[in-house]
Amino acid sequence: QVQLVESGGGLVQAGGSLRLSCAASGRTFSSYVMGWFRQAPGKEREFVARISGRGLITYYADSVKGRYTISRDNAKNTVYLQMNSLKPEDTAVYYCAGGPSSSSLNYWGQGTQVTVSS
């Protein structure tokens, strides 16, 4: 069983930055694909970014490409999401997810709120 706990959310002005962290329990972390998703009020959950087990391959949604960076530290069982040039439309609850493949992200965190004011 893997447990994921997000942190780092908060309130920031447009143009600002935040870094989210997702701490994972379990010995399989380094073999797992990890991803970030978000859900804005009244909208469906959407993909943001994902990273391969060794951190060599990353993939981003077009809406965040060039502004967000996903990374991981397998020694710390932690995945990060650096968010720069934040926009009000980035406001959402951000979720961390992990699993053996990008189509099998079986484990989810509880989410962390990110609010970007204009």
Side-chain angles (χ1 to χ4, degrees):
Q1 192 74 8
V2 175
Q3 291 186 327
L4 304 176
V5 179
E6 302 98 333
S7 61
L11 174 64
V12 64
Q13 289 188 333
S17 298
L18 281 176
R19 188 176 81 155
L20 305 184
S21 299
C22 173
S25 65
R27 293 175 288 180
T28 56
F29 177 80
S30 62
S31 67
Y32 273 14
V33 174
M34 298 298 296
W36 287 96
F37 294 74
R38 66 186 182 186
Q39 187 167 20
K43 295 187 177 181
E44 293 186 353
R45 188 175 298 185
E46 65 175 0
F47 166 78
V48 174
R50 68 171 179 261
I51 187 167
S52 61
R54 294 185 179 182
L56 299 178
I57 301 172
T58 57
Y59 188 71
Y60 298 91
D62 287 343
S63 58
V64 306
K65 200 173 296 183
R67 299 188 299 122
Y68 288 16
T69 302
I70 188 170
S71 62
R72 66 191 298 160
D73 185 339
N74 286 345
K76 296 182 178 180
N77 275 17
T78 302
V79 63
Y80 304 98
L81 186 68
Q82 177 67 44
M83 306 184 295
N84 299 328
S85 302
L86 283 162
K87 305 175 181 179
E89 52 264 42
D90 294 319
T91 295
V93 177
Y94 283 70
Y95 297 90
C96 172
S101 71
S102 59
S103 59
S104 299
L105 297 178
N106 302 320
Y107 301 100
W108 290 79
Q110 81 290 347
T112 186
Q113 177 71 47
V114 171
T115 303
V116 185
S117 63
S118 57

